Amino acid sequence: MVTTEANLTQEVRDFLNDGPKKLLIGGQWVEAASGKTFETVDPSNGDVLARVAEADKEDVNRAVAAARKAFEDGPWSTMTSAERSQVIWKIADLIEEHADTFAQLESLDNGKPVVVARRDDVGGTIDYFRYYAGWPTKIEGHTVPVGVPQTFAYTLRQPVGVCAQIIPWNYPLMMAAWKLAPALAAGCTCILKPAEQTPLSALLLGQLMLEAGLPAGVMNVLTGYGETAGAALAAHMQVDKIAFTGSTEVGKLIMQAAGKSNLKKVSLELGGKSPNIVFADADIEVAKEGAAAGIFYNMGQDCTAGSRLFVQDRVYDEVAQYVADAGNKMKVGRGLNEDTEIGPLVSEEQLQKVTGYMSIGQQEGAVVLGGGGRPSDSALSRGFFVNPTVLGQARNDMRIAQEEIFGPVVTVIPFKDVDDVIRQANDISYGLGAGIWTNNLQRAHRVAAAIKAGTVWVNTYGGTDPALPFGGFKQSGIGREMGYEGIELYTEVKSVWVNLE
Ligand code: NAI
Ligand code: MG
């Protein structure tokens, strides 16, 4: 246990010792039907942080029944939209009140720097709930001038129903918010399954949502594994919609399960291998920093990580070497330390995957310009740390350019001109994000239009905002979260005909 550590707040210690570790079903904290539990560990040293309940099929049945009852019987669905708004706003206030606790828990469970967790994960989550707290009173239908005489026609936009939401471990709290906030704004009821690597912040969130006055059964939390609890949610006949963020491989399984069961609505936010393109005419100082931040942020465990760095021939050496040096200078350490810039990867499995790609890259002929391997510091030897790594002299057809590594490892590829880089950037199965660094206005807009990706950043990289749609082209996903598109994901449109004669 880590509860004796000096820099943990009392509230975090109390949560680790006595906070909820069970399943939240129908407003009650309950053991898994099987009685099973599993461990969640601190990736900076492998120590066990807590044991939490392990949900399986029977728990999924119970949670879906509770969410169904809450959806059909109210009071969530019968409340006024203004009242729903207030509950969602209250959730944001409570998260803000416990912001430091969330930040430390997130850092402990995921490994990420606590400073970043506090600013981005927790700060972003608060903004996100507040943004969607504004939506319930603005979800409207239309009156429609149909061609039939003496007919009044209008549309209603109604909640889709019971929603299952399966999220990953890279931004545990924020991914929960991305899924829950629009669903609640639309009037749906939810079953959240956090990733098995990082269940803690979802449990605290569940506790605060009850405190905020969310009625029993509106939000249920099932901690557990993907192959069991997750798969049972995807196959369930009484789940109306499933929203997923994670690997493309599992996204395909979820879509198949929906197809084989009740054709539940599916939205998917999947992997990426985003091109970050530096033209020689860019403000190179700014572009170089953007290239480094675009890959090393969150240890590269980011679906829009700028992991394919394309650099125009003339500035290739300068930019590649800068990113390598920037990586070498970053402070690798435990996320809880305030000066840490690179924490551990989330798990032993990810450590094996990421170091595996470092070797594959060298076998393929890429050159390690910075980092490579694991830190030599013996204090870090029990954690899942890797060095920020730059693989240069790479080609777009290498595996290190085509496959998602999901670590602080960037593949740097040279290009000649605009046509060459558009062709290479689009020569990939993914399409989540892209960056363009140039001072040429025509070029910026031309390339932004030509890249097949859900988000394009020009002279900046990686930002998201609750008001701006986010999602993927190609195998990076289906549907758009955030903004009004987020409301569309969680609503059905009904057309009503009224004969006026
Ligand atoms: P994953 O896709 O297996 O896990 C994500 C979530 O899906 C977790 O909650 C997991 O329990 C659940 N899940 C797993 N199998 C399932 C199934 N058969 N049915 C329903 N739910 C299931 O991702 P994993 O294994 O943690 O990471 C593997 C790779 O996936 C990473 O290396 C990375 O490339 C990618 N990934 C992408 C993310 C993104 O933000 N787009 C986030 C996490 C991982
Ligand atoms: Mg997996």
Side-chain angles (χ1 to χ4, degrees), residues 35 71 96 136 235 300 317 411 445:
F71 183 72
E96 195 165 45
D317 289 336
T411 303
H445 289 293

Side-chain angles (χ1 to χ4, degrees), residues 196-197 227 247 249-250 349:
E196 54 270 33
Q197 297 83 352
E227 296 75 8
S247 62
E249 183 194 352
V250 172
E349 191 184 343

Side-chain angles (χ1 to χ4, degrees), residues 29 51 468:
W29 294 101
R51 294 196 70 92
L468 202 61

Side-chain angles (χ1 to χ4, degrees), residues 17 25 40 42 141 143 185 199 207 230 236 319 352 370 382-383 392 416-417:
N17 286 323
I25 298 180
T40 183
D42 177 343
T143 58
Q207 186 179 23
H236 206 286
V319 172
Q352 296 308 331
R382 289 195 304 132
K416 288 195 202 54
D417 55 26

Side-chain angles (χ1 to χ4, degrees), residues 40-337:
T40 183
V41 302
D42 177 343
S44 70
N45 53 27
D47 287 352
V48 175
L49 290 168
R51 294 196 70 92
V52 301
E54 184 187 328
D56 206 337
K57 206 167 176 176
E58 205 175 321
D59 308 297
V60 166
N61 289 337
R62 287 195 288 167
V64 174
R68 172 61 57 197
K69 183 171 184 330
F71 183 72
E72 304 298 344
D73 298 355
W76 190 240
S77 46
T78 52
M79 239 179 226
T80 66
S81 49
E83 286 168 330
R84 276 211 308 278
S85 232
Q86 281 173 15
V87 176
I88 299 171
W89 191 273
K90 182 82 197 291
I91 293 168
D93 284 347
L94 287 174
I95 296 169
E96 195 165 45
E97 246 173 64
H98 298 270
D100 293 334
T101 303
F102 273 115
Q104 285 201 343
L105 276 183
E106 212 71 331
S107 177
L108 277 172
D109 215 9
N110 164 281
K112 66 176 64 198
V114 68
V115 176
V116 178
R118 177 71 180 78
R119 185 191 65 209
D120 297 349
D121 296 72
V122 184
T125 295
I126 296 164
D127 289 348
Y128 204 80
F129 275 105
R130 293 216 168 112
Y131 171 82
Y132 275 106
W135 266 107
T137 50
K138 293 159 197 79
I139 301 173
E140 300 172 341
H142 304 291
T143 58
V144 183
V146 291
V148 183
Q150 293 302 317
T151 301
F152 172 49
Y154 62 94
T155 61
L156 294 173
R157 189 170 276 280
Q158 298 183 316
V160 70
V162 172
C163 302
Q165 305 174 309
I166 300 178
I167 57 169
W169 42 260
N170 50 347
Y171 301 97
L173 177 67
M174 203 160 66
M175 289 299 109
W178 283 23
K179 302 279 180 278
L180 291 166
L184 295 176
C188 295
T189 60
C190 302
I191 301 133
L192 179 75
K193 196 206 79 65
E196 54 270 33
Q197 297 83 352
T198 54
L200 297 179
S201 55
L203 293 170
L204 179 57
L205 182 64
Q207 186 179 23
L208 296 184
M209 282 184 153
L210 293 180
E211 204 179 304
L214 199 68
V218 174
M219 190 271 208
N220 303 274
V221 183
L222 297 182
T223 47
Y225 291 97
E227 296 75 8
T228 51
L233 283 166
H236 206 286
M237 293 299 286
Q238 285 294 317
V239 170
D240 299 306
K241 184 206 157 55
I242 187 155
F244 171 76
T245 297
S247 62
T248 295
E249 183 194 352
V250 172
K252 290 180 181 180
L253 292 177
I254 285 179
M255 199 143 177
Q256 285 168 22
K260 283 187 196 150
S261 56
N262 63 341
L263 276 183
K264 54 182 68 66
K265 310 288 179 269
V266 177
S267 56
L268 304 172
E269 201 261 274
L270 308 175
K273 192 76 186 179
S274 299
N276 198 4
I277 303 168
V278 180
F279 286 97
D281 66 16
D283 181 340
I284 292 296
E285 295 308 312
V286 180
K288 288 192 294 200
E289 278 178 39
I295 183 64
F296 298 139
Y297 183 75
N298 211 42
M299 291 69 76
Q301 301 171 131
D302 186 301
C303 49
T304 58
S307 52
R308 272 189 309 154
L309 179 59
F310 287 100
V311 185
Q312 200 159 14
D313 290 335
R314 268 186 293 146
V315 290
Y316 181 92
D317 289 336
E318 179 188 354
V319 172
Q321 198 53 53
Y322 177 91
V323 177
D325 294 343
N328 287 339
K329 278 188 228 145
M330 291 180 91
K331 171 96 177 125
V332 181
R334 189 161 192 224
L336 280 183
N337 301 337

